[in-house]
């Protein structure tokens, strides 16, 4: 896991903060006899925040930046293996006001 952000002052009232974070998960097995392996993956997210007077913020973000397919979990039985996929790439814009 890792993350980086950097606040850039655009003026004495306005700042811009780009940020990225990532998580790497290596291959792993879902059951005790190591029969069914789940492939590793890298998840990366990015966001850009505009801060005005430390009272108003607007943030644009992207989760799963590379649109990686990954397993959130798995279930292995004697007849089948089921993988629960993680969320695909998604976008968001949020705004906040501090009183």
């Amino acid at each position: 896991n890792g993350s980086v952000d950097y606040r850039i002052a655009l003026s004495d009232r306005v700042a811009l903060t780009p940020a990225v974070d990532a998580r790497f998960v290596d291959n792993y097995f879902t059951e005790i006899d190591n029969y069914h392996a789940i492939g590793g993956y890298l998840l990366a997210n990015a966001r850009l925040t505009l801060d005005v007077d430390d009272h108003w913020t607007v943030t644009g973000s992207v989760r799963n930046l590379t649109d990686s397919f990954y397993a959130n979990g798995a279930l292995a039985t004697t007849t089948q293996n089921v993988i629960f996929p993680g969320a695909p790439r998604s976008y968001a814009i949020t705004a906040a006001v501090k009183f």
Side-chain angles (χ1 to χ4, degrees), residues 58-77:
V58 176
T59 302
S61 61
V62 181
R63 294 188 66 172
N64 192 359
L65 190 62
T66 60
D67 203 20
S68 298
F69 177 84
Y70 62 99
N72 250 350
L75 175 64
T77 68

Side-chain angles (χ1 to χ4, degrees), residues 7-16 50-57:
R7 186 176 171 98
I8 303 164
L10 301 177
S11 73
D12 59 338
R13 298 179 48 217
V14 180
L16 190 64
L50 181 66
D51 208 347
V52 180
D53 289 331
D54 288 328
H55 295 291
W56 301 83
T57 60

